[in-house]
Amino acid sequence: MKSAFFLSTLLLLGNSLLAQIEDKRGIVAKGAQLEKVKDGFSFTEGPAVNRQGDIFFTDQPNDKIYRWNPNSNQITLFREGAGRSNGLYFQLDGKLIAAADLNNELWEIDPQTGKETVLVPSFRGKKLNGPNDIWVRPKGGLYFTDPLYPRPYWEGIRGKEMEQDGQHVYFLSADRTELFRVAEDLKQPNGIVGTPDGKYLYVADIGDKKTWKYEIQEDGYLTNKTLFCEMGSDGMTIDERGNVYLTGKGVTVFDRNGEQIAHIPVPENWTANVAFGSLTRNTLFITAMGSVYTLKMKFRGVW
């Protein structure tokens, strides 16, 4: 009886410890706990912050974009019929860029009117595989990943084969006149984020379980590909200290040198994406399966 009780106690203790936040550098605000904001979604993705600190995110299977107000902690519907948008990102002019993979396009949405403009309908005469995540660089222009995740709403050959000859990373110039590939040697690029000075770009190759770091050139091309860490990611963000936040099984945080410094467990089967919200940018907003969560951080996110 003693041994059985002791074993069950150890298991309970182990599970409790596994549920705790691992934080080697004190990046989580003192006393902060993970808080569920709302559940009842199908699959949440693509959190993006505007100037006011509001977070826009998608419920991709239900084809909707929602808006979280950090002041009221309330979530409201922003748009229904969102082109099956996945990743989102705000430009400096306030326009929302959306990876709309209903027809494998990249959209620009006016948050005031809700009207969309198709920025990228195709590449070299063929549909994209399915734009997934986006990062807008400070100088203008944007990067997006184009992996293949077959969707049940795609018909015919689109649901079975890649439109393009591989899964790549693309750059769209600020004046929208140039679209070209900047990384063609990855298995399945997904999460993407750059540094606030616009010098470096991180791309998570979720298919190869690696995240790479590149130097960004003035013309948008990437050079000096180096391994950042041995972990892929669905979505990504970065804070003011250069710490990079990867997702999948919870949120795993690496410092700028690629050393793991924290892990935030999330009580869902999958954590899709993260972004910093609120006017002070110190609230980590987490999209995970059918729920969204927040966690107060010591450091601010960048935008």
Side-chain angles (χ1 to χ4, degrees):
M1 291 294 292
K2 275 188 176 181
S3 60
F5 175 79
F6 183 67
L7 179 59
S8 64
T9 303
L10 280 178
L11 287 172
L12 286 170
L13 180 61
N15 288 335
S16 174
L17 289 174
L18 285 173
Q20 292 180 359
I21 295 173
E22 301 170 14
D23 186 6
K24 298 178 182 178
R25 304 274 180 87
I27 65 172
V28 178
K30 187 176 180 180
Q33 294 184 348
L34 188 71
E35 297 183 8
K36 181 185 286 188
V37 180
K38 189 176 176 63
D39 57 17
F41 304 103
S42 291
F43 191 87
T44 56
E45 248 287 9
V49 61
N50 65 10
R51 285 185 179 274
Q52 292 74 41
D54 299 339
I55 294 284
F56 288 62
F57 66 95
T58 63
D59 185 0
Q60 208 269 351
N62 289 322
D63 200 18
K64 296 177 181 178
I65 299 176
Y66 289 89
R67 180 177 187 164
W68 171 70
N69 184 307
N71 299 315
S72 65
N73 201 32
Q74 296 298 306
I75 290 174
T76 54
L77 179 66
F78 166 68
R79 176 174 171 138
E80 191 167 7
R84 299 280 187 175
S85 291
N86 192 74
L88 306 172
Y89 209 95
F90 275 96
Q91 298 183 130
L92 291 175
D93 65 3
K95 300 289 180 62
L96 183 63
I97 306 299
D101 79 358
L102 175 63
N103 292 309
N104 304 34
E105 298 169 334
L106 199 69
W107 284 10
E108 179 183 83
I109 302 174
D110 187 325
Q112 302 302 319
T113 65
K115 182 181 179 182
E116 81 276 1
T117 301
V118 178
L119 296 181
V120 179
S122 61
F123 181 74
R124 294 177 181 170
K126 294 183 178 180
K127 286 286 187 181
L128 294 163
N129 299 320
N132 193 278
D133 276 327
I134 306 155
W135 180 70
V136 179
R137 71 172 184 174
K139 290 183 178 179
L142 60 88
Y143 295 90
F144 66 92
T145 56
D146 187 43
L148 177 66
Y149 293 103
R151 308 298 192 187
Y153 45 81
W154 288 348
E155 298 179 355
I157 196 169
R158 282 186 63 207
K160 300 176 183 179
E161 298 180 9
M162 283 190 292
E163 298 285 331
Q164 296 294 321
D165 59 5
Q167 304 180 65
H168 309 305
V169 182
Y170 294 78
F171 177 75
L172 178 65
S173 63
D175 61 8
R176 312 303 191 221
T177 62
E178 293 184 275
L179 173 67
F180 51 83
R181 293 173 179 168
V182 292
E184 297 181 285
D185 60 349
L186 304 177
K187 288 186 178 180
Q188 193 173 36
N190 194 317
I192 189 168
V193 71
T195 55
D197 58 11
K199 292 182 178 180
Y200 301 98
L201 184 72
Y202 296 93
V203 179
D205 188 346
I206 197 169
D208 199 27
K209 298 181 180 178
K210 291 179 175 62
T211 295
W212 300 93
K213 182 180 181 180
Y214 299 85
E215 290 184 14
I216 299 174
Q217 303 303 300
E218 186 69 26
D219 58 9
Y221 283 98
L222 304 177
T223 60
N224 195 23
K225 176 186 177 184
T226 57
L227 181 65
F228 176 67
C229 68
E230 294 275 357
M231 178 180 170
S233 185
D234 195 342
M236 305 169 68
T237 193
I238 191 169
D239 69 23
E240 61 184 342
R241 296 295 182 93
N243 300 315
V244 179
Y245 297 64
L246 306 185
T247 61
K249 293 297 183 180
V251 181
T252 306
V253 187
F254 295 81
D255 69 12
R256 64 179 64 205
N257 297 315
E259 178 184 346
Q260 183 176 329
I261 60 171
H263 181 259
I264 302 164
V266 178
E268 306 285 348
N269 291 332
W270 187 254
T271 301
N273 217 324
V274 282
F276 281 90
S278 82
L279 195 58
T280 54
R281 301 293 191 275
N282 66 343
T283 300
L284 191 66
F285 189 92
I286 303 168
T287 60
M289 302 297 291
S291 306
V292 291
Y293 296 80
T294 57
L295 179 65
K296 295 291 184 183
M297 307 299 291
K298 182 178 179 181
F299 303 124
R300 295 157 53 100
V302 294
W303 185 77

